[in-house]
Amino acid sequence: MSNLPVREKRIAGIGVSQGIRFGRAFLYALPEAKVSFPERIESHFVETELKRLASAKDQTLSDLERIIEISKQTLGEEKSVIIQGQRSMLNDPAFYGEIVKHVEKKMFSPEKAVQSVVDQLTALFEKMNNAYVKERIHDVKDAANRLMSHLQKNSYPDLTQLMEPAILIADDLTPSVTVQLDRRFVLGFVTRLGGETTHTAILSRSLGIPAVVGVGEALAEIEHGNELIIDGTLGVCIVNPEPATTQEYLTKLQQEEAFEERLSAFKQQPALTADGRQVEMAVNIGMPEEFREGIVDEVHGVGLFRTEFLFMNSDHFPTEEEQFAAYKKVLEQWKDKPVVIRTLDIGGDKNLSYWQLPKESNPFLGLRAIRLCLQERELFKTQLRAILRASVFGRAKIMFPMITTIQELRQAKAITEEVKAALRSDHIAFDESCEIGIMAEVPSVIQLADRFAKEVDFFSIGTNDLVQYTLAVDRMNEKVAHLYDYFHPAVIRSIHSLIQAAHKEGKWVGMCGKMAGDPLAAPLLLAMGLDEWSMDGASVAKQKFTLSSLTMPVSQALLVRVLNMDTAEEVRSAAKALIE
Ligand code: PEP
Ligand code: MG
């Protein structure tokens, strides 16, 4: 064994959720399932093997109970339903009952019995024409994996083993893994995959967990239990830090805390520039856990309610009543403040566990968001009906995602009118003046902004997608993350021209992509006259602080220069010179 001191290593990634954390690495990865077992058993072993099976089932159920409890406490009742699906499998005669029968009647070993029931059910479910039933395949497989690992005496590597605060190291984190997180124990994330605007990144920001994603193959340099420092602002993970580095980061942490303290004074203040201009700040929401007392008084409203989280955190399509209750709750929380409710935006990196969409080679250019809703009319109508019914409890506005053509907008509006007509004939009240807007996130909307502006009440610029579609850079792909930049002059010009076209028609423009919360972008957005700036709750105070030192003439002068620049680097450094 070498006695060489452990060397410090620095791993670079993309900082997607701010903050510095110190902790040990917890490696989360599904190991290859061990599958060596006899297929058949002798008849006199049936009883013993059934006992072994029953004991594996009991252990699996007790794991699941523990996970359900943890997820209820940390992420709420709704999300524990995903795990509950697996529990019900273990009590289902079509699953567990069949496994027992295979051991009793066919004299299969319990492992072989589990395997063949999984194969049988998978084949059966796949033939069915029902997305919900098809998606039960995941529950079957997950439950079978857990059962198998107890039969094989492996411990299933779920996150319940995370019993003390640690930094989670993973390939990627899916929503269903995230529901298992006990947030008391997750200090931060480091992932191999991902970019700034992936679902994981958005989720980590909304949960306030620092994260560095897209570190690529360097992830392999981190071992379970290594001491780490992660810097979610700069996108750095330091493995086995030397004492001097630890000291450096302790000082940085203190500075960050002191800055946070200073910012807190801005929370309750209106967003005012140094020359007295007021800007409307709003927040993006998705999960009920993000709501905190006081936020309603700090901002103008909700600029983006990502309703897909409601769908992603369920194990079935939320019914009209379930959706109505969720929208009503949010509108009541926000009282008389506007809430922009975006209709279902799935596809791309956002998938539903219970609805397997056909595999596509370019999912971000495929059947997603409004395209899907216009195809699945009933799904769309159910959501619109729920939103409209809830609209009497607050100030709802409806927004369609990923509109690309005028026809799509017209169709979506026509469907909304149909839903309204049905509500009227059922004598169900809704807000007749509910505004309808669209996300401006596809270049065709920018080009045709003057036309779209005649047919919408508002736009909200989704820079997360607008950047990927304008610059042809996959927002998920860490290999091209260096090209993903909203300071690219093409993006800046797009935003500028959209705002001008909308204002010409007297329509307001919001921005709900990540750019709205970036202090460096503040002078440009101010000069362009962006009407509503919507961001994650944690960025609001910082953006108010930035605005407090800006004036309109200085910002306008910067914009004039920027509109004549060639590269993102030039734009960025000109903005930096003003802000820092
Ligand atoms: C965007 O594209 O900028 C946006 C806000 O939507 P999402 O990140 O959910 O695609
Ligand atoms: Mg988008």
Side-chain angles (χ1 to χ4, degrees), residues 342 345 368 439 441 462 464-465 475:
R342 180 172 76 181
D345 184 14
R368 61 171 290 212
M439 294 281 299
E441 51 186 350
N464 305 344
D465 276 315
R475 68 192 262 189

Side-chain angles (χ1 to χ4, degrees), residues 131-385:
Y132 175 74
V133 172
K134 268 192 182 167
E135 275 304 317
R136 303 275 58 74
I137 294 175
H138 292 298
D139 291 339
V140 169
K141 288 188 175 161
D142 259 343
N145 273 340
R146 288 179 188 279
L147 196 55
M148 197 70 124
S149 79
H150 279 300
L151 282 168
Q152 295 260 296
K153 302 243 178 289
N154 305 330
S155 66
Y156 191 85
D158 64 58
L159 292 167
T160 54
Q161 289 168 24
L162 184 60
M163 288 304 192
E164 56 184 356
I167 294 170
L168 207 60
I169 311 298
D171 236 31
D172 196 7
L173 290 168
T174 61
S176 61
V177 167
T178 314
V179 300
Q180 290 188 47
L181 295 180
D182 184 335
R183 276 191 272 149
R184 287 170 307 172
F185 300 146
V186 181
L187 297 172
F189 304 136
V190 181
T191 62
R192 185 169 70 82
L193 301 173
E196 203 165 4
T197 56
T198 55
H199 176 242
T200 319
I202 289 168
L203 210 58
S204 59
R205 278 197 292 277
S206 71
L207 298 174
I209 300 176
V212 178
V213 304
V215 302
E217 300 319 315
L219 192 85
E221 300 195 24
I222 308 175
E223 289 171 23
H224 191 79
N226 276 168
E227 291 271 8
L228 303 179
I229 300 176
I230 63 163
D231 180 342
T233 313
L234 291 182
V236 179
C237 169
I238 300 163
V239 189
N240 299 320
E242 289 179 4
T245 311
T246 305
Q247 194 47 52
E248 175 201 335
Y249 269 89
L250 282 171
T251 312
K252 260 191 168 186
L253 189 62
Q254 274 171 356
Q255 286 164 348
E256 264 192 12
E257 283 167 359
F259 183 52
E260 284 300 318
E261 187 63 38
R262 234 177 114 199
L263 285 186
S264 63
F266 284 84
K267 273 193 178 157
Q268 299 282 339
Q269 309 289 332
L272 281 179
T273 60
D275 54 347
R277 298 252 180 174
Q278 184 158 351
V279 163
E280 283 177 356
M281 293 272 163
V283 286
N284 296 344
I285 61 167
M287 311 214 303
E289 289 76 21
E290 292 162 44
F291 187 77
R292 66 169 169 77
E293 284 310 321
I295 184 79
V296 176
D297 302 321
E298 294 165 23
V299 289
H300 158 78
V302 173
L304 169 64
F305 175 6
R306 287 186 165 96
T307 60
E308 56 274 14
F309 285 88
L310 194 71
F311 288 68
M312 287 161 85
N313 295 332
S314 171
D315 67 347
H316 59 274
F317 282 113
T319 61
E320 182 182 321
E321 285 319 306
E322 285 169 331
Q323 291 189 57
F324 167 71
Y327 306 144
K328 174 171 179 270
K329 184 171 169 195
V330 170
L331 288 165
E332 285 177 340
Q333 277 171 339
W334 285 86
K335 302 181 185 113
D336 54 349
K337 303 226 167 159
V339 177
V340 177
I341 306 181
R342 180 172 76 181
T343 58
L344 190 59
D345 184 14
I346 52 161
D349 68 331
K350 299 183 233 174
N351 299 307
L352 301 180
S353 61
Y354 46 90
W355 193 23
Q356 199 104 60
L357 295 166
K359 281 256 171 303
E360 294 178 304
S361 45
N362 283 311
F364 274 108
L365 299 181
L367 197 55
R368 61 171 290 212
I370 196 70
R371 300 174 181 178
L372 204 53
C373 286
L374 291 176
Q375 219 171 72
E376 300 291 332
R377 295 278 166 111
E378 285 315 307
L379 186 76
F380 191 36
K381 282 186 174 174
T382 303
Q383 182 173 38
L384 288 168
R385 200 174 149 93

